[in-house]
Amino acid sequence: MDADSLLLSLELASGSGQGLSPDRRASLLTSLMLVKRDYRYDRVLFWGRILGLVADYYIAQGLSEDQLAPRKTLYSLNCTEWSLLPPATEEMVAQSSVVKGRFMGDPSYEYEHTELQKVNEGEKVFEEEIVVQIKEETRLVSVIDQIDKAVAIIPRGALFKTPFGPTHVNRTFEGLSLSEAKKLSSYFHFREPVELKNKTLLEKADLDPSLDFMDSLEHDIPKALVPSLAYSPSILIPELPFFQDGRRM
Amino acid sequence: MGDLPPYPERPPQQPPNRRTSQASQRQHSQDQVQPPAADPEEGQQIAPDARRNAPGWSQRGSLSQQESLLMPRAFQAEEAQMGSMEYPSMNTGFPLEFQPQAYSDESRIQAAELTTSLMQRLQQGQSSLLQQLDSTFPEPPVNPLDPFNLYQTDQFSEGAQHGPYVRDDPAFQFSPSEMGFPHYSAEVPEPEPLELAVQNAKAYLLQTSISCDLSLYEHLVNLLTKILNQRPEDPLSVLESLNRTTQWEWFHPKLDTLWDDPEMQPTYEMAEKQKALFTRSGGGAEGEQEMEEEVGETPVPNIMETAFYFEQAGVGLSSDESFRIFLAMKQLAEQQPIHTCRFWGKILGMNRSYLVAEVEFREGEEEAEEEEVEEMTEGGEVMEAHGEEEGEEDEEKAVDVIPKPVWKPPPVIPKEESRSGANKYLYFVCNEPGLPWTRLPHVTPAQIVNARKIKKFFTGYLDAPVVSYPPFPGNEANYLRAQIARISAATQVSPLGFYQFSEEEGDEEEEGGAGRDSYEENPDFEGIPVLELVDSMANWVHHTQHILPQGRCTWVNPLQKTEEEEDLGEEEEKADEGPEEVENHAPGTLDHPPVLQPLPAVLSGRCALQPLAWGLCLCQRQVVGNTSPLGWVLVISHDESMENQTVGGTG
């Protein structure tokens, strides 16, 4: 949710029972403005909240001019002070996939995971137990990354691509019409396209290269359900990325 | 319609000029004019004794709607024929007045009078018309021309609006207003069975098809209207395609290219339903002000207030939705005999969500449903007994028999009585505020046991099947109820001392604290300082009964049921085993927190601290130093097996 329209977005998303108390909301608005100024971001989005046992993480993302470029992720425990998170790498994701259960809420907390590793000593093969320490910060990063890759969607037409490369926000996009909003094909995954090149030439001929440069939701397995946000009293779908099931407890 | 009465008279009596004039307007084939083909497709009003008149009409052949009205002639005034009820197809009723009459001036005038009176009636009301219209009787025969005949009346009623159908007829010299119709009423007998048949037939035709909302009646109306408007050259031959087209058009409304039709969005329908909520509350608002003096009458809690407090903690629904929920609960309280009710929370589903209200009925209510369920379970037990007997007989007779399995399913654990244990409260659910509330059935121990093992999203439809392994005994309504029971039992906490037992303390030792489930607010509760609430869990207690592994709150020995069926000699053995088993289960009962005792002292593996960590945050946000007896009870969902469902805050 964009910092500007944070309040509106929160209202719309309130049906799920998760909300922010007034003091949090106020401090969010203030601090996000400061983050934008300090880090020179083009836009700062409030990504959401990850619940932990002791405390919750509030996550924000900063974008530069190019919408599809990797975003910088920041986290905060109290909505006033934000810290930058390292970008996610493959190993981080693989490493933290073994950790299950809730987040603690303390970024310096280390999970211990025992792994059995085969160690060759001469001719004997041992299985040693190695305890791997995984920091919660790593896990946080990878979880955010996975959620983004899996679930972040954007309506068709909200972004467009220019021949120079960068993707821009489409200022003339006012939302999808009701009939279009019901179709899965009018939503894209908000990430670098993976399946686009697998399409046949016939399908590609129908695409508009300036608008259809991301994977559509149509061919996803399992099928996504059109979010009920489309049926909310305001028919306008915000142009911001919105999450279908971005909650992880 | 082969059964035309043998009227000697024939249409030739009718003036040719009129015929031609009619023909020019009617597109129907002239053949229809001839009696055998018969189809008076005109929208005659069918009088109750239209049957009798029908034969007369059939001769007439087809007359266009009002023209036939105007054609009084060629009526046979034979009473005998009036008696013949063989006219099968309904074609066109005749107006009551159009009894076959001898073609004479007198009758003509009379008929004209009848016609005009008919017209008068038409103007008076279409509904009564339609009643008489249908002479569709028990078996409208398959007459290819029938569609034209049926419901002509509707055409007729529309014909009243259409200019071209009114013919200039000398018979019309009498204006409708001049004519009364008392004179023929005496002539018409009371055809009650006939009317009944008419209405039955009409009701049959009005029933909507299984696959859509369209009824045969409406479809035929549309079809005939279309035909009469368009007047195709040879309607009989294009009948099939016209039928198809009409049906297609019903489901594909034509979109005007110039004007945008307003789309019927589901949001509009939802808004309409919710508007009903507000209008009711608008009428009740004034009543509320009067009732405020009588505090405690309305069972609906103040949802807005609790929502405000939850919002301070960062949990809850938006204020709009909370208000709508409040109105919906008021509606529920009006519809059901409710003693107390509480908004339990919201459960999110894939397609739709559930709003759950926890309700307690007044004394003496809600017994009807229990009886039905009990009958079903008894029937099941009887079946099992029969199966065993048959098995034994077979073994004796046959020599080479596949060994019968000795396994018997474990005895079914009886569910708890209503108003006790897991069934202490009744739960109502609805999908959106404004939609009707549905009552959830009581939960059985088997359902709770299975619900602990599976993890499924809710779809939002109560009758959806729950496909899982291990199989869940029930549909989504049962699954929902089981999860609600588990959440309620596990997560309802209150500050120590807020609730107290309402029974005497002497019972405490005997029952071990397991059997007591009635508590009440402690009037002497003075509130605990926030810091103390936050520091340790010693000040928080569960006030709902924990659900045992068996699936109930009070333990039941399933073997006790079989004692009645077996020999007396075995009873002693069973009795010896009984207490042992009780002891076996005793650890289970000890594991769970007894009601109203501080948590950390009792909980063993249930991460006592963790669920209430959130409570810590909540307490921190309370106004510091506030020791007023707020005493609101939080329901926090932290059971690990329920990760996939979130529950909004409840109050």
Side-chain angles (χ1 to χ4, degrees):
Chain A
M1 302 149 215
D2 212 338
D4 300 335
S5 52
L6 180 66
L7 297 177
L8 172 66
S9 318
L10 279 179
E11 279 287 316
L12 287 176
S14 64
S16 60
Q18 301 285 335
L20 290 181
S21 59
D23 57 336
R24 285 266 183 264
R25 279 204 291 263
S27 50
L28 252 188
L29 282 175
T30 319
S31 57
L32 284 180
M33 294 305 296
L34 290 176
V35 162
K36 188 170 163 186
R37 178 201 70 180
D38 290 338
Y39 288 87
R40 311 288 162 90
Y41 289 136
D42 201 51
R43 260 197 331 165
V44 174
L45 304 178
F46 177 59
W47 185 92
R49 171 170 79 175
I50 291 187
L51 300 171
L53 285 174
V54 176
D56 302 333
Y57 295 106
Y58 295 88
I59 313 290
Q61 287 184 330
L63 290 95
S64 53
E65 183 74 31
D66 183 3
Q67 304 293 317
L68 266 191
R71 304 164 155 196
K72 309 280 188 299
T73 318
L74 304 110
Y75 79 94
S76 159
L77 291 163
N78 53 6
C79 280
T80 41
E81 287 157 10
W82 298 85
S83 326
L84 195 59
L85 282 174
T89 59
E90 293 277 343
E91 338 165 13
M92 287 163 105
V93 174
Q95 207 182 33
S96 28
S97 60
V98 296
V99 184
K100 311 259 183 243
R102 303 165 196 258
F103 278 91
M104 276 307 290
D106 175 14
S108 56
Y109 179 80
E110 297 201 344
Y111 296 96
E112 293 183 349
H113 173 71
T114 52
E115 271 183 11
L116 294 176
Q117 271 194 8
K118 292 193 180 175
V119 180
N120 285 330
E121 284 197 11
E123 294 176 352
K124 300 178 191 174
V125 179
F126 280 79
E127 281 199 6
E128 255 189 41
E129 282 194 4
I130 296 186
V131 176
V132 178
Q133 304 250 354
I134 303 166
K135 288 174 68 171
E136 173 135 321
E137 217 176 61
T138 317
R139 189 178 169 213
L140 190 64
V141 166
S142 49
V143 157
I144 294 174
D145 188 59
Q146 280 175 329
I147 292 179
D148 267 343
K149 285 214 166 72
V151 192
I153 61 178
I154 194 161
R156 180 175 185 270
L159 301 180
F160 71 95
K161 203 168 187 172
T162 55
F164 299 111
T167 338
H168 299 280
V169 171
N170 187 357
R171 297 264 168 225
T172 59
F173 178 66
E174 278 186 342
L176 298 175
S177 71
L178 197 68
S179 54
E180 281 179 33
K182 294 185 198 174
K183 293 192 281 192
L184 278 180
S185 55
S186 36
Y187 298 96
F188 294 135
H189 283 285
F190 191 48
R191 58 163 194 231
E192 293 292 330
V194 169
E195 293 170 21
L196 213 52
K197 45 187 177 298
N198 294 340
K199 285 188 181 257
T200 64
L201 274 182
L202 272 181
E203 289 171 347
K204 280 196 207 166
D206 290 331
L207 302 178
D208 181 356
S210 66
L211 291 180
D212 298 297
F213 50 93
M214 292 178 280
D215 297 327
S216 150
L217 284 188
E218 248 182 326
H219 305 290
D220 272 0
I221 298 167
K223 281 190 86 64
L225 290 172
V226 179
S228 60
L229 199 62
Y231 296 96
S232 65
S234 67
I235 297 179
L236 265 190
I237 297 180
E239 58 169 278
L240 317 159
F242 64 104
F243 303 97
Q244 284 177 314
D245 194 4
R247 278 173 287 107
R248 288 274 271 247
M249 307 228 350
Chain B
M1 332 193 321
D3 355 281
L4 297 177
Y7 276 151
E9 274 97 275
R10 295 291 358 155
Q13 286 190 8
Q14 298 160 0
N17 57 351
R18 186 170 297 188
R19 268 300 150 195
T20 51
S21 67
Q22 295 171 3
S24 60
Q25 287 125 14
R26 283 178 304 115
Q27 312 260 340
H28 300 285
S29 61
Q30 289 301 321
D31 298 341
Q32 298 172 6
V33 175
Q34 304 314 317
D39 84 330
E41 13 106 64
E42 40 292 31
Q44 301 308 314
Q45 302 169 14
I46 299 173
D49 60 345
R51 263 191 181 172
R52 302 199 213 155
N53 301 326
W57 273 114
S58 63
Q59 281 199 5
R60 242 82 332 43
S62 59
L63 300 171
S64 67
Q65 300 178 354
Q66 305 201 2
E67 297 158 19
S68 55
L69 273 185
L70 314 179
M71 298 286 292
R73 37 185 78 242
F75 286 94
Q76 284 300 311
E78 292 180 10
E79 295 291 333
Q81 287 172 349
M82 298 184 48
S84 71
M85 314 271 278
E86 291 180 15
Y87 195 69
S89 59
M90 40 123 352
N91 321 331
T92 73
F94 289 33
L96 181 52
E97 308 66 52
F98 276 112
Q99 300 169 9
Q101 294 166 359
Y103 182 59
S104 63
D105 284 340
E106 288 179 0
S107 63
R108 211 177 144 207
I109 293 177
Q110 211 176 10
E113 291 174 357
L114 293 175
T115 318
T116 55
S117 61
L118 200 69
M119 292 293 297
Q120 204 172 4
R121 261 215 235 160
L122 217 205
Q123 292 162 13
Q124 283 167 7
Q126 290 189 8
S127 56
S128 55
L129 251 184
L130 289 180
Q131 281 277 320
Q132 299 170 347
L133 277 191
D134 309 347
S135 56
T136 336
F137 306 113
E139 310 263 330
V142 181
N143 185 330
L145 301 178
D146 271 353
F148 287 89
N149 307 331
L150 291 173
Y151 308 120
Q152 282 288 342
T153 53
D154 296 343
Q155 308 309 315
F156 185 43
S157 51
E158 292 174 11
Q161 304 156 8
H162 293 252
Y165 299 145
V166 179
R167 296 291 159 254
D168 194 23
D169 190 292
F172 257 134
Q173 51 192 297
F174 304 97
S175 66
S177 53
E178 293 173 23
M179 294 301 142
F181 33 55
H183 61 277
Y184 65 87
S185 55
E187 298 168 357
V188 181
E190 292 300 302
E192 282 176 18
L194 195 50
E195 263 193 27
L196 196 58
V198 167
Q199 287 171 18
N200 284 343
K202 183 168 177 197
Y204 164 75
L205 287 159
L206 274 172
Q207 73 193 16
T208 57
S209 154
I210 298 170
S211 50
C212 63
D213 273 338
L214 185 59
S215 73
L216 182 56
Y217 192 101
E218 286 176 51
H219 174 62
L220 289 166
V221 164
N222 294 339
L223 181 62
L224 290 169
T225 317
K226 193 180 163 90
I227 290 172
L228 288 164
N229 284 337
Q230 292 179 0
R231 302 276 170 150
E233 281 289 334
D234 188 6
L236 183 55
S237 56
V238 298
L239 176 63
E240 291 298 322
S241 60
L242 277 178
N243 186 25
R244 283 253 160 251
T245 316
T246 313
Q247 271 185 343
W248 186 88
E249 274 178 7
W250 176 267
F251 295 105
H252 299 85
K254 213 153 93 170
L255 297 173
D256 203 330
T257 47
L258 292 182
W259 293 92
D260 276 335
D261 275 341
E263 294 179 23
M264 272 316 299
Q265 299 165 3
T267 46
Y268 292 161
E269 297 168 13
M270 202 57 237
E272 283 224 22
K273 286 191 184 124
Q274 291 184 346
K275 186 177 167 190
L277 270 183
F278 287 96
T279 50
R280 293 195 58 163
S281 81
E286 300 175 1
E288 267 185 50
Q289 289 169 5
E290 297 169 4
M291 285 172 70
E292 272 180 14
E293 300 166 359
E294 318 162 353
V295 176
E297 289 290 336
T298 49
V300 180
N302 192 343
I303 292 184
M304 298 308 293
E305 186 183 350
T306 47
F308 168 74
Y309 287 116
F310 278 114
E311 191 195 349
Q312 298 300 310
V315 171
L317 311 167
S318 64
S319 53
D320 298 342
E321 192 158 358
S322 301
F323 188 71
R324 286 205 199 100
I325 290 169
F326 174 59
L327 293 178
M329 294 200 60
K330 274 182 50 179
Q331 197 183 49
L332 176 67
E334 286 165 18
Q335 288 168 356
Q336 305 278 347
I338 287 176
H339 180 58
T340 56
C341 81
R342 185 174 82 92
F343 177 58
W344 185 90
K346 180 172 177 180
I347 289 196
L348 305 175
M350 308 244 277
N351 299 323
R352 310 193 287 193
S353 307
Y354 292 115
L355 294 171
V356 182
E358 186 183 76
V359 148
E360 204 173 332
F361 271 173
R362 288 194 284 263
E363 298 296 319
E365 307 286 341
E366 44 104 23
E367 291 177 3
E369 191 185 348
E370 292 178 30
E371 291 173 5
E372 294 174 12
V373 178
E374 282 175 15
E375 287 171 10
M376 286 166 54
T377 50
E378 284 170 18
E381 291 170 18
V382 169
M383 298 275 292
E384 289 174 16
H386 284 314
E388 292 174 17
E389 291 171 8
E390 291 172 7
E392 292 170 8
E393 290 175 6
D394 285 346
E395 282 182 31
E396 291 172 1
K397 291 176 186 172
V399 176
D400 196 12
V401 150
I402 301 169
K404 300 262 183 220
V406 190
W407 176 82
K408 289 180 194 165
V412 175
I413 300 169
K415 70 175 184 189
E416 291 172 289
E417 297 291 315
S418 65
R419 295 181 196 269
S420 76
N423 289 325
K424 182 160 191 205
Y425 294 104
L426 270 176
Y427 292 92
F428 282 84
V429 291
C430 75
N431 290 112
E432 293 275 338
L435 292 180
W437 291 88
T438 317
R439 177 167 147 185
L440 288 181
H442 280 309
V443 67
T444 64
Q447 288 169 358
I448 289 188
V449 166
N450 276 296
R452 285 179 168 146
K453 300 177 188 165
I454 62 177
K455 226 195 251 189
K456 293 282 284 182
F457 277 114
F458 290 102
T459 60
Y461 297 98
L462 284 173
D463 48 359
V466 177
V467 180
S468 64
Y469 184 76
F472 184 78
N475 57 9
E476 183 157 313
N478 302 109
Y479 183 56
L480 177 65
R481 179 66 181 84
Q483 299 292 27
I484 289 175
R486 289 175 66 207
I487 293 173
S488 289
T491 58
Q492 292 197 19
V493 293
S494 57
L496 176 68
F498 183 74
Y499 284 117
Q500 67 185 13
F501 286 116
S502 52
E503 294 173 84
E504 295 174 0
E505 293 188 2
D507 296 338
E508 197 171 335
E509 298 166 2
E510 292 176 9
E511 300 188 30
R516 308 198 296 176
D517 58 355
S518 65
Y519 51 85
E520 61 183 19
E521 273 187 42
N522 181 359
D524 302 327
F525 181 65
E526 283 176 359
I528 303 178
V530 175
L531 291 177
E532 284 182 28
L533 281 177
V534 163
D535 271 342
S536 74
M537 292 303 112
N539 290 315
W540 292 95
V541 295
H542 283 279
H543 59 263
T544 45
Q545 278 188 318
H546 173 75
I547 299 185
L548 299 169
Q550 194 185 41
R552 295 175 46 113
C553 290
T554 50
W555 191 72
V556 153
N557 186 353
L559 295 178
Q560 280 173 2
K561 282 184 61 184
T562 57
E563 279 181 8
E564 299 166 2
E565 298 173 1
E566 297 181 6
D567 296 334
L568 292 174
E570 298 178 9
E571 267 187 8
E572 295 174 1
E573 298 176 19
K574 293 284 181 190
D576 289 338
E577 292 173 6
E580 287 175 24
E581 289 179 7
V582 173
E583 285 166 21
N584 287 339
H585 284 271
T589 57
L590 280 186
D591 267 345
H592 76 92
V595 185
L596 291 196
Q597 289 193 14
L599 300 161
V602 183
L603 287 178
S604 51
R606 293 202 54 158
C607 308
L609 291 178
Q610 291 171 3
L612 295 168
W614 196 356
L616 286 179
C617 303
L618 287 163
C619 292
Q620 280 165 1
R621 290 169 201 166
Q622 275 184 0
V623 176
V624 175
N626 180 12
T627 58
S628 63
L630 251 189
W632 36 285
V633 172
L634 312 168
V635 175
I636 313 164
S637 72
H638 272 270
D639 199 337
E640 293 222 354
S641 62
M642 286 184 280
E643 273 185 14
N644 285 332
Q645 307 144 24
T646 60
V647 176
T650 73

